[in-house]
Amino acid sequence: METPNAPQVNSESVSISLDQTMSMDTVRAHLSKALPDYAIPSECLTIEKMPLTSSCKVDRKTVESWLGSFVSRPLNKGDMEARCHLSPLYEHEVTARAISAAVAELVASRDPEQGLQLQGHDFVLQSSGVDSIQVVSLSMFVRKTYGVKLAMEHFHSSESTVRHLAYLIDCEEELGNDYVDGLNLSEEIEINTAELLESIRPKSTEPEARHVFLTGASGYLGSGILRKLLSRSAVDVYALMRCSTTAEGLEIISRKAAEHGWWQPSYASRLHIWPGDLTKPKLGLNDEHLQYFHTGSEQPTCIDAIIHNGARVHYNTDYHGLKAINLHPTMELLALLSASSNLTTFVYVSGGRRLTFTEDEEEHTVGANQTNGYGQSKFVSESIVRNCMNHAAFANKQLHIIQPGYIIGSPNNGIANQTDFIWRLVAGCLDTGVYNADESNHWLFIADVDRVAEAITQPLFGARSVRLASGSSIDRIRDGIPFSALWHILEHDFGYILHPEPQQEWLTCLETFVLAAGSTHMLFPLLATLEKSAGHVGASQEVPSEYLGTTARVLDAVRANAQYLIDVGFFPPPGQQAANAEALKASGGDAGSIFESVSLSRGSSLEEKLSSWSGGSLSSASSVEEKVSSVETSASDEHDERSGCGPKANSSMAKRL
């Protein structure tokens, strides 16, 4: 622009004083707490000074002239990626790449350079620059090219991405309309009414949590929780860890956070490592740290919220063997909560048993009785928390229960937890080339770590799910997808060869293969658990419509996780897997004859890595039971460390993978 003071689009850090800057992402994140999406600015125009009239008022005509002079927004790759959530599409995503090209061509008719940036990328359709007429043209392209008639709501949705449209096109016949997102007016009325009433009700006099005590901070989910807490600049976190010194604990936490791409050096000043042990009385805390839980002590800082995420995950230990680590700490923390006037909020992270779509307590009890010792220990702990919710001793407290399903990596980076059951099961299915046909239409309760961590931390800052009279809440995270969508992604997006088999035939094939592979197979430690459940993983109940809206995010996360697991060698390369799967099928299920080539397809070092889990104990195990026990014991080390109750983190299985 010719005017010296003319504005320039700025997506970089914006100076707010001589020694401070903030990014547009920070500005948007802050404004999103108070403004609706449409009112949040997407651009930052920096000027030397505001134009004024002779009466010292803002010269609106000059400002309007500036804004009107932008024929099209100046191209800035970083800003474009932030606004449209750009991410590259893979070569095998044929449908998505075709949709991306079609949208890019429409946008290029008005802005060639912007259209070029969209080419070959996934992005939010509404942020791409297409107008309403072009959206109609896009829908006609889809109908003509694929013979699929998608409702216009999908093109106009503020959450529709290129990948999501491609998914709807590819899966229309397989999944039917039951799994297609739609507008539920009754749900909209309920949600918006609740939002209105919440906004106008008298505000609580209690401040938001500022000093949070966290267990299980160094585990997979714990790292996600810690990230959410530290992203709030007013929050200090006190993390219980099994470590010799605070420096050692901080190094463990910061290293894992850096691996996941979120650590900032400034966080260290607000992260306080407390050496301790969940298995010991008073959590192994010293007297100085215990004073933080008591109001009126000489200690000026008091803990005002607890997130209890620590637990030992061990599928082959009975209830009594896990009671000391998974139950007693919960009772210790509840006692601290009751005794402290300053400590008001307690969040318990439950788990260990399959979710359902009902809240029938009798059904939950029956299910817990049929699960393993880990699930039973978590169920008893959760039930104690529930019983405390309406007890007089907790009259002024808020207790919250969060129960997630399977937890996977976020859609942004796809960093998966390689020790998790669901990915081990999928890896086994890829090895054998078969999956459970009887569960194809069952619902897989699965959510990404960012989604779960957000649900866990929100009660500390005012948000709740199923609200009880006491102000406490229960949140069962029932996000997910049908199993068929998972297999569809692996087959159509990544090129794996998979055959559906009836449940018993599938389970027999899987068991045969894993036993032939022996203790080196990643599913071996969990084989007994799988057999006990007869291979049941998903829910056969009808899926309420409110949960169908979660599928788009979950599908994006599954794709990102699958790509990550291929890149790190946890999943076999698709081409090699296809050959192995066909060879195994042709051999009539002779797993022993094909396992060697499957092992090689993951890389020659995998067996060595797997053997290192147990510190050399695998070779001395003479029976299946002994092998399962020895591998399972070492596999639980990573969970022990995150709970503050096990071996040092450098022995964790996740790092060795």
Side-chain angles (χ1 to χ4, degrees), residues 108-141:
S109 64
R110 185 177 64 255
D111 190 332
E113 292 188 64
Q114 185 168 333
L116 186 62
Q117 288 192 29
L118 294 175
Q119 183 79 36
H121 286 80
D122 181 36
F123 47 82
V124 177
L125 193 61
Q126 276 202 352
S127 301
S128 65
V130 292
D131 57 34
S132 57
I133 300 300
Q134 291 173 325
V135 166
V136 174
S137 299
L138 180 62
S139 70
M140 297 304 296
F141 166 80

Side-chain angles (χ1 to χ4, degrees), residues 123-283:
F123 47 82
V124 177
L125 193 61
Q126 276 202 352
S127 301
S128 65
V130 292
D131 57 34
S132 57
I133 300 300
Q134 291 173 325
V135 166
V136 174
S137 299
L138 180 62
S139 70
M140 297 304 296
F141 166 80
V142 170
R143 188 181 306 183
K144 180 178 179 180
T145 305
Y146 301 102
V148 173
K149 183 178 180 181
L150 294 180
M152 291 303 296
E153 287 83 355
H154 297 303
F155 295 96
H156 290 293
S157 171
S158 59
E159 298 182 353
S160 282
T161 63
V162 168
R163 277 198 174 106
H164 185 50
L165 289 178
Y167 164 73
L168 294 176
I169 294 168
D170 291 341
C171 299
E172 185 195 47
E173 293 184 359
E174 183 172 348
L175 300 180
N177 292 326
D178 289 343
Y179 296 103
V180 176
D181 300 333
L183 178 62
N184 186 324
L185 292 179
S186 298
E187 183 179 325
E188 281 292 300
I189 293 170
E190 180 180 351
I191 291 174
N192 286 281
T193 300
E195 182 180 336
L196 171 64
L197 296 178
E198 175 72 16
S199 67
I200 63 177
R201 72 179 178 86
K203 297 295 183 181
S204 170
T205 57
E206 297 179 0
E208 293 184 342
R210 295 176 62 89
H211 302 280
V212 182
F213 179 72
L214 172 64
T215 67
S218 63
Y220 184 75
L221 175 57
S223 180
I225 296 171
L226 193 58
R227 177 184 184 181
K228 293 292 183 183
L229 293 174
L230 291 176
S231 67
R232 293 176 175 265
S233 59
V235 174
D236 278 57
V237 180
Y238 304 80
L240 179 74
M241 289 189 64
R242 184 182 174 89
C243 55
S244 301
T245 64
T246 57
E248 177 190 352
L250 181 61
E251 195 278 330
I252 292 170
I253 291 284
S254 60
R255 183 177 64 245
K256 176 168 288 188
E259 290 172 356
H260 289 198
W262 65 265
W263 181 254
Q264 296 182 26
S266 61
Y267 287 160
S269 64
R270 293 187 290 112
L271 175 58
H272 312 275
I273 305 299
W274 285 1
D277 190 329
L278 287 178
T279 63
K280 294 181 178 179
K282 299 181 180 180
L283 312 179

